[in-house]
Every structure is written in C-alpha cells, then in structure tokens.
Amino acid sequence: GISRKLLGDLKFLESLKTYDKENIPPAVMKRIRERFIEHPDFQPAVIKNVSSACEGLCKWVRAMEVYDRVAKVVAPKRERLKEAEGLLEIQMKKLNTKRAELKEVMDRLQALNDEFESMNNRKKELENNIEICSQKLVRAEKLISGLGGEKDRWTEAARLLGIRYTDLTGDVLLSSGTVAYLGAFTVDYRLECQKQWQVLCKEKHIPCSNDFSLSNTLGDP
C-alpha cells in the first residue's frame, strides 16, 4: 500500500526529476550496490513483468548508480580540466601580453627600417649632388684656369683705359687741332706743333697723353 501510494504521488515523480544526483550519500550508494545492482531480480526486464512503474524506478536507480560511478571518475577530471583551463587562461593572458609587446617591437623595428631606407635614399641623393657639384667644380676650375691668363691683360687694359679716359679731353683737343690746322703740313712740322700744344695743355691744366698720337686717339682700337 505504501509503495503504491508513493508511486502514485506526483510530488514523488517530481522529486526524482530534481534529485541532487551530484551529492548522493556514499552510504546510500553503497547499500544500493550491495543489495540491488547485482541482484538478478533487480533488472528492468524482470521487474517489467510485475509492474511497469517499478520498471521505470529500477531504470532510474540503475541510472543514478551509473551516473555516480561515472561522476567519481569524471569529477576529478573536471576539476583538473577546470584547473587546466584556469592555467590556460593565465598563460593566454601572458601570451597576449607578449604578443602586444612583440607587436610594439615589430612596429618600432618597421619604423626604424623605414627611417633607415629614408636615410639611405637621402644619402644617395647627397652622393649624387656631391658628384654633380664635383663635376661643376672641375669645370669651374678649368674655366678659371683658362681665364687666369686673361686677368693680367684685363687689369693692364683697365689701367690704360683709365689713363686714356683721364687724358681724353686733351687728346681730343690735340686731335681736333691737328685735323683742322695741320693736315697740309709735313709730318715733322705736325709733330713739332703737337708737342707745343701738349705743353700749353699742361700749363692750362688740361690732361693729355704724354705720348699723344692722332692714330691712337681717332683710330679703331
């Protein structure tokens, strides 16, 4: 009567569904294994002939026994797995930290490589500029060397032109007098007159050349 009443109780069925299978008392499980699991009559196929409800309960008890047996094997593995996962998480954090540090180093290395390449390009550019400047310098030295001989001539020519410019007033005056008044006379007479006129120019403070020559003053230089 009690067994039938218990099996017919809906709360009993609910208690089976919500039974704490993770914490079955060892004493209870020991008793089940000693008295029921190995008993030849405690088989679902045998009990089915007596009661289908008891068959389900038999299956449930056997399932709890199997679960408890497996849980005792699996539980330590679960703990080790949990511990390993915790260690893995720690190591992954360390790995990610190292990866971030490595990325920072790689970025810095890339920046240095870019800077190195830029400096190399700048170096090549400067070397090309040096080569161009060297060639220009060689050409300039050749030009200066070629013009070096002209410097003395130009200096002397400038000095003479300065003197001639100063004496130009008197020389033009002497040339004008020679052309206007002495064309019909002999060379000696013209030269004598020119010397006298030179003396007069000096006395009047009119600059003129000491070696006055009509051809030098009016001729094509």
Side-chain angles (χ1 to χ4, degrees), residues 97-111:
T97 301
K98 295 300 180 182
R99 283 176 175 172
E101 293 175 355
L102 177 61
K103 184 179 183 302
E104 183 178 353
V105 172
M106 293 301 294
D107 291 342
R108 178 58 180 165
L109 179 61
Q110 183 62 43

Side-chain angles (χ1 to χ4, degrees), residues 33-49:
R33 289 188 177 116
E34 290 176 351
R35 296 186 60 180
F36 298 101
I37 297 301
E38 300 299 331
H39 197 288
D41 292 334
F42 194 72
Q43 300 293 333
V46 176
I47 295 177
K48 180 180 180 181
N49 296 325

Side-chain angles (χ1 to χ4, degrees), residues 10 47 69 87 91 95 116 139 145 152 161 198 214 221:
L10 295 177
I47 295 177
R69 181 159 30 90
L87 293 175
Q91 295 302 321
L95 177 61
F116 176 72
R139 290 195 293 268
S145 177
D152 295 338
L161 285 174
Q198 281 180 294
L214 181 65

